Amino acid sequence: MNVIELSKVGKIFRTDEVETLALENVNMSVEEGEFLAVMGPSGCGKSTLLNIMGMLDRPTSGTVTVCGVKAGELSDARMAEFRNKTIGFVFQSFHLILSLNVIENVEMPLLYAGLSAKERRERAYQVLEQVGMTHRLRHLPSQLSGGQCQRVAIARAIACNPKIILADEPTGNLNSEMAADVMNILMRLNSEEQRTIVMVTHNEQQAALAHRTARFFDGHQVG
């Protein structure tokens, strides 16, 4: 079963003076439980692809279907609700809220999901336990290493128990040891919990750990 399907997807970014083609005629699918790596040079459309898969951006052309739901048929409000329940995001720059401590950061998507304070705290603790960060619950992001911040970001991504995790260069700001820890967590989430993962990376060794690799160049899938 495919959980992500892209059909003839194109994306053009327009300003008053310039049109930039980010993606053109992309046809691809991701199976449930698959770990897919996406590779290509900078500026080839990888992050745009991930944003479209994650319903953070709408394509200029084509259709996007996630877990049987067509993105083009949802209002912005319904799309945000669906996204919160279905997709977890992990970014290169972590995107943690600097004024919130570790457990408060992880509780944020649960707040939008409508859980009670008690339920939020229990669930946040559970996912932080999965990534080995329960000893840092009251620390602010500024008090953590890069690897620890990314562990918290992964905990936040899985807090609402999503079927899909989209990771954009999740180890890009980490040293080799921290990067290996993050990759081990992602592989465990895939193999033990059958979460579907799409990961953008420049690292060939990390891509080799995925089930398959899709390669992009100048907005086109080339492999």
Side-chain angles (χ1 to χ4, degrees):
M1 173 185 170
N2 293 330
V3 292
I4 300 174
E5 295 182 349
L6 298 154
S7 177
K8 299 180 180 178
V9 164
K11 181 64 180 181
I12 297 173
F13 293 102
R14 294 184 174 94
T15 66
D16 291 340
E17 300 178 351
V18 179
E19 283 192 356
T20 302
L21 178 66
L23 294 172
E24 184 175 18
N25 196 34
V26 175
N27 297 281
M28 65 185 303
S29 59
V30 183
E31 292 185 3
E32 184 174 10
E34 185 175 12
F35 193 148
L36 172 67
V38 178
M39 298 196 73
S42 297
C44 72
K46 303 185 301 297
S47 293
T48 299
L49 176 76
L50 216 63
N51 287 341
I52 288 174
M53 284 183 173
M55 300 183 176
L56 293 173
D57 198 2
R58 294 181 185 269
T60 306
S61 58
T63 59
V64 179
T65 306
V66 179
C67 295
V69 175
K70 288 187 177 181
E73 298 176 355
L74 299 177
S75 67
D76 287 346
R78 286 282 297 118
M79 189 180 294
E81 181 182 356
F82 177 80
R83 187 170 59 231
N84 192 51
K85 293 178 179 178
T86 310
I87 305 168
F89 297 90
V90 181
F91 301 97
Q92 179 177 351
S93 299
F94 320 132
H95 289 194
L96 300 177
I97 299 173
L98 299 181
S99 60
L100 300 181
N101 65 30
V102 164
I103 197 163
E104 290 168 342
N105 264 285
V106 177
E107 285 181 346
M108 284 301 296
L110 300 168
L111 177 64
Y112 295 124
L115 273 66
S116 69
K118 182 175 183 293
E119 290 171 327
R120 292 196 303 270
R121 189 54 52 101
E122 289 177 351
R123 177 59 183 166
Y125 187 89
Q126 288 172 358
V127 293
L128 284 165
E129 193 170 33
Q130 282 184 259
V131 300
M133 283 299 294
T134 52
H135 62 304
R136 291 282 195 262
L137 297 180
R138 306 301 173 189
H139 286 67
L140 295 172
S142 61
Q143 298 171 306
L144 305 177
S145 68
Q148 289 171 334
C149 283
Q150 197 60 291
R151 285 171 176 261
V152 175
I154 292 172
R156 181 187 57 191
I158 64 174
C160 290
N161 198 30
K163 289 185 176 181
I164 300 166
I165 298 173
L166 302 181
D168 193 356
E169 293 281 2
T171 65
N173 286 335
L174 307 179
N175 64 33
S176 58
E177 183 179 354
M178 292 178 177
D181 287 343
V182 167
M183 285 303 302
N184 285 335
I185 292 171
L186 291 175
M187 289 189 295
R188 189 171 71 244
L189 290 170
N190 174 251
S191 63
E192 296 180 7
E193 300 185 13
Q194 287 73 56
R195 297 186 197 271
T196 303
I197 298 177
V198 180
M199 178 185 69
V200 166
T201 181
H202 284 288
N203 188 305
E204 291 281 358
Q205 290 179 322
Q206 292 175 4
L209 299 173
H211 297 152
R212 67 183 173 102
T213 299
R215 297 180 185 272
F216 280 75
F217 185 78
D218 286 351
H220 297 84
Q221 184 176 356
V222 295

